[in-house]
C-alpha cells in the first residue's frame, strides 16, 4: 500500500463532514441554552427531562414501535420467501418478479406514498397505523430481499442434500439446516428494516391521518425554535440507539459470513 | 427430468407467491391507478370520467409547474454531481490505500451516519446553517465575520449541502465496489509502459470504475428528485420541489387527477434520466474496449 497523504487527509475531512452533525447533536443536547449556537453555556440534562415530559412523545414512541416491529417482522418473512424462491429454485419469469418486488428502491418515496393513498381513499380504507405498516412493508421488502438473498447465496447446497439423503423431509431440512445457517441474515434484515421503518417520514406522514408517529412528531417540533434543544436530546438518544442496533446487525452479519466460511468484505447494502 | 423441473418451478412460484401478491396489490395496482387517474378529470377529491389529456397539458405548459419541475431537476442534478464528486476520492482511498482487513471497518464508518434518523439529520443542518446558528456563531466567535451569513436563506445551497450529506454512503458504496473489481495488474502494466500515475488513473482506473459512478448517480438522483423533507425543512417551503407540488395538488387542492399527472410526469422524468445514463454507461464501456 502506497502512502497517500492528500487522499488520507481528504478521507479524514470527509469523515468529519459525515459525522459533524452527529457530534454536534449531543453537544447541544446537554448545553444549558435555549438558542443552539456557540459558545456552549454549561452542562444540563433538563432537555432530556423536558422531552420526556411531553405525553405526545410517549404516544408517538409507542405507535412507532408497533409500526417498526410489525414492519420488520412482515418484510423479513416476505423477504425470506422471495429470497429462498429466487436463490434455490429455477422458474420462468424470475427476473420480472424479483424486479417488481425491488421497484420501490428506484421509485421516489413520495410517488409510492401518493399512489397508495389514492387507492386507499378510493376504496374507503380509513388511514391508521395499519395503513402505515402496509406502506412501510412495501419499501422495506427490497432491503430484506437484498440482505437475505446474499445470506441464502452463501449457503452450501450440499448440506441440504446431505440432510435429505439422511432421511429428513423438506420442511425439517429447512428448519434444522437452512434456517440456522441463514439466521444471521434474518437478524440483520430484521434490524435494518426496523431502523428504516422508525426513521421513515413520508409514508408515516401521508398514510397516517395525523396520528403521532415519532418521525412526524420530530418534524413538527422542529418548527418551534423553543423545542429544538429537547428534540436534540431526543435525537441523541435515537442516534445512540441506532448505532447500537447497527453494531449488533453488523456483528450478526460477520458471524454469518464466518459461519458459512466466506471472506469478510464490504458492509451493508 | 422434465417433471422435476416443473415441480421445481411450482415450488418456486409457491414460495414467491406471498411477496409477489403483496407487491402486485400494494405497488403495481396503485401505480396503475395513478396512471389511469392522470387522464381523468379531478374535482373535490374525486375523479370522473371524461378522459382528457388536459392534466398533462397543464403540467407541461403551466409556468408554475414548469418552473418547479425545472428546479427539481436542477437541484437534484447539482446534488448528484456534488455527492458523486465528493464520494469518488473516498471510495478510491478505501479501495486502493486501505489495508484489506480494514476496508470493512471503513465502509462501516461511512455507512453509520446514513442509518441515523433522516429527519434529525436534515433538521440538524437547519440549526447548523441557520441565522445565528452554529456556523454563524462559530465564524463570529472566531472573528472571521461580524455579520451572520445565514447560509440557510440561500435555499438551494443549503439543500445541496444537506442532501449531499444524506446520500453520501449511497454514492461511496457502488463506486467502491467497481473500484475493487479493477484488475491491479492493468495498473502496473500501464505504469510499466511509461504512463504516469495520473494518466494511468485517467486512462485505466476511471473508465473501468464508470459503472459504479453511473450506479451512484442513479442511486442519488432518483430519491433526491422526489425528496419532500429537505425542501420543506431546509428550504422553508420557499424552494418547493416535485414532491411538495404533488402534495399540494393531491391534498390541499384535492385534485387527484392533476396530482396523478404530476406523479406520472415525475416517474417519466426519472425513467428517462435513468435510461439515458444506462445507455451512456453501455456506450462508455463499449468505447473503451
Amino acid at each position: 500500500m502506497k502512502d497517500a497523504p492528500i487522499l488520507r487527509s481528504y478521507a479524514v475531512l470527509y469523515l468529519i463532514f459525515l459525522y459533524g452533525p452527529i457530534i454536534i447533536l449531543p453537544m447541544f443536547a446537554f448545553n444549558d441554552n435555549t438558542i443552539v449556537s456557540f459558545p456552549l453555556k454549561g452542562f444540563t440534562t433538563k432537555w432530556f427531562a423536558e422531552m420526556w415530559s411531553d405525553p405526545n412523545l410517549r404516544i408517538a414512541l409507542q405507535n412507532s414501535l408497533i409500526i417498526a416491529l410489525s414492519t420488520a417482522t412482515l418484510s423479513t418473512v416476505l423477504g425470506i420467501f422471495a429470497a429462498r424462491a429466487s436463490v434455490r429454485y429455477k422458474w420462468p419469469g424470475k427476473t420480472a418478479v424479483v424486479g417488481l418486488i425491488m421497484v420501490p428502491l428506484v421509485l421516489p418515496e413520495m410517488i409510492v406514498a401518493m399512489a397508495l393513498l389514492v387507492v386507499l381513499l378510493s376504496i374507503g380504507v380509513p388511514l391508521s397505523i395499519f395503513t402505515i405498516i402496509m406502506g412501510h412493508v412495501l419499501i422495506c421488502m427490497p432491503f430484506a430481499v437484498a440482505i437475505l438473498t446474499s445470506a441464502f447465496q452463501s449457503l452450501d447446497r450440499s448440506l441440504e442434500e446431505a440432510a435429505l439423503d439422511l432421511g429428513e423431509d423438506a420442511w425439517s431440512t429447512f428448519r434444522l439446516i437452512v434456517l440456522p445457517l441463514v439466521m444471521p441474515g434474518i437478524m440483520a434484515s430484521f434490524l435494518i428494516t426496523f431502523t428504516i421503518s422508525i426513521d421513515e417520514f413520508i409514508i408515516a406522514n401521508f398514510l397516517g391521518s395525523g396520528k403521532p408517529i415519532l418521525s412526524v412528531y420530530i418534524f413538527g417540533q422542529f418548527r418551534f425554535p423553543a423545542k429544538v434543544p429537547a428534540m436534540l436530546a431526543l435525537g441523541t438518544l435515537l442516534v445512540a440507539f441506532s448505532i447500537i442496533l447497527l453494531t449488533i446487525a453488523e456483528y450478526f452479519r460477520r458471524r454469518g459470513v464466518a459461519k458459512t466460511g466466506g471472506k469478510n468484505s464490504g458492509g451493508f447494502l | 427430468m422434465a417433471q422435476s423441473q416443473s415441480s421445481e418451478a411450482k415450488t418456486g412460484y409457491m414460495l414467491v407467491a406471498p411477496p409477489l401478491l403483496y407487491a402486485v396489490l400494494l405497488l403495481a395496482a396503485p401505480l396503475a391507478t395513478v396512471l389511469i387517474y392522470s387522464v381523468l378529470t379531478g374535482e373535490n377529491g374525486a375523479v370522473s370520467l371524461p378522459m382528457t389529456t388536459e392534466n398533462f397539458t397543464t403540467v407541461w405548459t403551466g409556468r408554475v409547474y414548469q418552473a418547479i419541475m425545472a428546479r427539481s431537476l436542477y437541484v437534484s442534478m447539482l446534488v448528484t454531481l456534488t455527492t458523486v464528486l465528493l464520494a469518488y476520492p473516498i471510495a478510491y482511498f478505501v479501495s486502493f490505500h486501505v489495508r484489506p482487513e480494514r476496508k470493512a471497518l471503513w465502509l462501516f464508518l461511512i455507512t453509520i451516519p446514513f442509518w441515523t434518523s433522516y429527519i434529525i439529520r436534515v433538521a440538524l443542518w437547519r440549526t447548523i446553517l441557520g441565522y445565528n446558528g452554529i456556523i454563524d456563531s462559530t465564524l463570529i466567535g472566531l472573528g472571521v465575520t461580524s455579520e451572520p451569513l445565514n447560509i440557510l436563506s440561500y435555499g438551494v445551497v443549503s439543500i445541496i449541502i444537506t442532501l449531499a450529506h444524506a446520500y453520501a454512503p449511497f454514492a461511496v458504496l457502488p463506486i467502491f465496489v467497481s473500484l475493487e473489481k479493477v484488475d491491479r495488474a492493468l495498473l502496473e502494466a500501464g505504469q510499466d509502459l511509461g504512463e504516469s500515475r495520473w494518466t494511468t488513473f485517467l486512462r485505466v482506473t476511471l473508465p473501468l470504475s464508470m459503472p459504479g459512478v453511473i450506479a451512484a448517480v442513479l442511486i442519488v438522483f432518483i430519491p433526491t428528485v422526489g425528496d419532500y423533507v429537505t425542501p420543506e425543512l431546509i428550504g422553508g417551503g420557499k424552494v418547493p420541489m416535485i414532491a411538495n407540488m404533488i402534495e399540494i395538488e393531491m391534498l390541499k387542492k384535492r385534485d387527484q387527477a392533476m396530482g396523478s399527472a404530476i406523479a406520472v410526469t415525475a416517474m417519466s422524468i426519472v425513467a428517462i434520466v435513468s435510461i439515458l445514463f444506462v445507455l451512456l454507461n453501455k456506450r462508455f464501456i463499449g468505447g473503451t474496449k
Side-chain angles (χ1 to χ4, degrees):
Chain A
M1 291 294 118
K2 288 151 281 171
D3 198 35
I6 299 173
L7 267 180
R8 183 168 288 275
S9 30
Y10 176 78
V12 172
L13 279 179
Y14 194 82
L15 283 185
I16 293 174
F17 169 62
L18 281 187
Y19 280 87
I22 295 168
I23 294 163
I24 282 170
L25 193 58
M27 261 160 81
F28 287 95
F30 289 109
N31 181 31
D32 193 4
N33 190 352
T34 325
I35 300 157
V36 181
S37 68
F38 284 113
L40 298 171
K41 284 264 170 70
F43 183 84
T44 178
T45 52
K46 73 176 175 196
W47 304 121
F48 288 86
E50 186 191 305
M51 164 205 92
W52 193 242
S53 67
D54 185 352
N56 274 333
L57 169 71
R58 269 171 275 172
I59 301 171
L61 197 59
Q62 201 186 351
N63 284 338
S64 281
L65 280 177
I66 295 172
I67 293 170
L69 283 174
S70 323
T71 303
T73 313
L74 272 172
S75 47
T76 302
V77 169
L78 288 172
I80 292 174
F81 277 104
R84 175 75 172 163
S86 94
V87 174
R88 174 69 173 70
Y89 299 97
K90 278 204 192 87
W91 36 282
K94 192 192 279 183
T95 321
V97 168
V98 176
L100 173 69
I101 293 172
M102 301 305 254
V103 157
L105 279 184
V106 295
L107 211 56
E109 227 170 80
M110 188 67 178
I111 291 175
V112 176
M114 282 301 150
L116 263 176
L117 183 67
V118 161
V119 170
L120 291 173
L121 289 179
S122 69
I123 339 177
V125 179
L127 297 179
S128 64
I129 287 181
F130 184 67
T131 49
I132 299 179
I133 296 174
M134 280 163 54
H136 276 185
V137 170
L138 198 61
I139 58 159
C140 287
M141 201 159 57
F143 288 92
V145 173
I147 295 166
L148 289 162
T149 300
S150 75
F152 277 110
Q153 264 165 355
S154 54
L155 196 68
D156 188 349
R157 190 147 163 200
S158 56
L159 292 174
E160 261 177 79
E161 280 161 4
L164 286 169
D165 286 349
L166 291 169
E168 297 285 351
D169 59 44
W171 166 241
S172 62
T173 306
F174 184 77
R175 195 168 51 89
L176 295 171
I177 308 292
V178 179
L179 216 49
L181 283 173
V182 291
M183 207 32 143
I186 294 176
M187 294 301 291
S189 156
F190 188 89
L191 292 173
I192 282 167
T193 47
F194 182 89
T195 317
I196 294 173
S197 170
I198 279 265
D199 276 355
E200 203 284 333
F201 172 78
I202 293 181
I203 287 172
N205 188 36
F206 292 115
L207 297 186
S209 72
K211 270 218 162 62
I213 311 292
L214 205 52
S215 57
V216 181
Y217 170 83
I218 295 170
F219 182 84
Q221 296 285 300
F222 262 107
R223 295 180 169 213
F224 310 110
K227 299 278 186 189
V228 169
M231 283 306 102
L232 297 184
L234 176 59
T236 306
L237 292 182
L238 286 178
V239 167
F241 184 66
S242 352
I243 291 179
I244 293 170
L245 272 191
L246 287 168
T247 314
I248 299 173
E250 174 72 7
Y251 169 77
F252 276 114
R253 197 189 61 81
R254 287 191 182 187
R255 221 179 62 170
V257 172
K259 239 186 197 173
T260 44
K263 220 174 67 184
N264 185 21
S265 58
F268 302 113
L269 294 172
Chain B
M1 191 64 201
Q3 205 185 351
S4 89
Q5 246 176 28
S6 82
S7 89
E8 186 172 322
K10 217 161 135 194
T11 322
Y13 284 129
M14 261 167 63
L15 273 175
V16 87
L20 176 62
L21 198 67
Y22 195 90
V24 167
L25 285 180
L26 278 92
L27 182 68
L31 288 179
T33 312
V34 165
L35 211 58
I36 295 168
Y37 272 28
S38 68
V39 289
L40 294 177
T41 313
E43 219 173 24
N44 296 330
V47 285
S48 51
L49 234 192
M51 265 174 79
T52 167
T53 53
E54 210 178 291
N55 302 317
F56 284 101
T57 322
T58 319
V59 173
W60 284 98
T61 56
R63 176 111 9 118
V64 182
Y65 297 105
Q66 275 183 344
I68 292 180
M69 275 189 293
R71 178 161 52 207
S72 297
L73 269 179
Y74 166 73
V75 169
S76 55
M77 278 177 177
L78 275 179
V79 169
T80 309
L81 189 72
T82 317
T83 315
V84 172
L85 282 183
L86 287 176
Y88 197 96
I90 190 93
Y92 185 86
F93 172 76
V94 178
S95 180
F96 283 84
H97 294 283
V98 171
R99 272 182 280 132
E101 67 273 19
R102 296 190 62 185
K103 282 179 182 173
L105 176 70
W106 270 88
L107 291 182
F108 188 53
L109 277 178
I110 290 165
T111 36
I112 279 188
F114 162 69
W115 293 107
T116 59
S117 170
Y118 179 60
I119 296 282
I120 298 229
R121 273 181 295 150
V122 173
L124 268 171
W125 281 108
R126 186 168 134 134
T127 56
I128 292 172
L129 302 170
Y131 181 77
N132 268 336
I134 291 168
I135 287 196
D136 282 356
S137 62
T138 310
L139 291 180
I140 293 172
L142 292 172
V144 178
T145 167
S146 55
E147 283 292 302
L149 289 175
N150 195 9
I151 302 171
L152 195 64
S153 62
Y154 306 106
V156 174
V157 177
S158 42
I159 290 181
I160 291 173
I161 296 176
T162 309
L163 289 176
H165 180 261
Y167 288 100
F170 282 114
V172 175
L173 289 178
I175 300 175
F176 169 79
V177 169
S178 68
L179 282 172
E180 282 289 276
K181 287 188 194 144
V182 173
D183 188 347
R184 302 311 197 248
L186 287 176
L187 306 183
E188 281 170 27
Q191 287 184 12
D192 285 349
L193 292 170
E195 300 271 18
S196 74
R197 221 192 270 167
W198 175 241
T199 48
T200 314
F201 170 76
L202 280 184
R203 295 170 69 163
V204 182
T205 317
L206 187 61
L208 284 175
S209 65
M210 266 333 252
V213 174
I214 302 280
V217 164
L218 289 181
I219 290 174
V220 178
F221 175 77
I222 291 168
T224 48
V225 142
D227 194 43
Y228 170 85
V229 177
T230 306
E232 199 71 11
L233 269 183
I234 296 284
K238 275 178 286 177
V239 195
M241 293 187 16
I242 291 182
N244 312 81
M245 192 162 72
I246 298 178
E247 184 207 4
I248 291 170
E249 291 291 342
M250 286 268 192
L251 302 177
K252 301 211 167 118
K253 294 195 190 162
R254 288 167 46 84
D255 187 341
Q256 295 185 351
M258 268 304 282
S260 299
I262 300 171
V264 171
T265 310
M267 277 191 278
S268 321
I269 292 177
V270 167
I272 290 168
V273 172
S274 310
I275 290 168
L276 277 181
F277 267 101
V278 170
L279 286 181
L280 196 73
N281 188 21
K282 278 208 176 120
R283 176 130 180 235
F284 209 94
I285 292 173
T288 51
K289 269 197 178 153

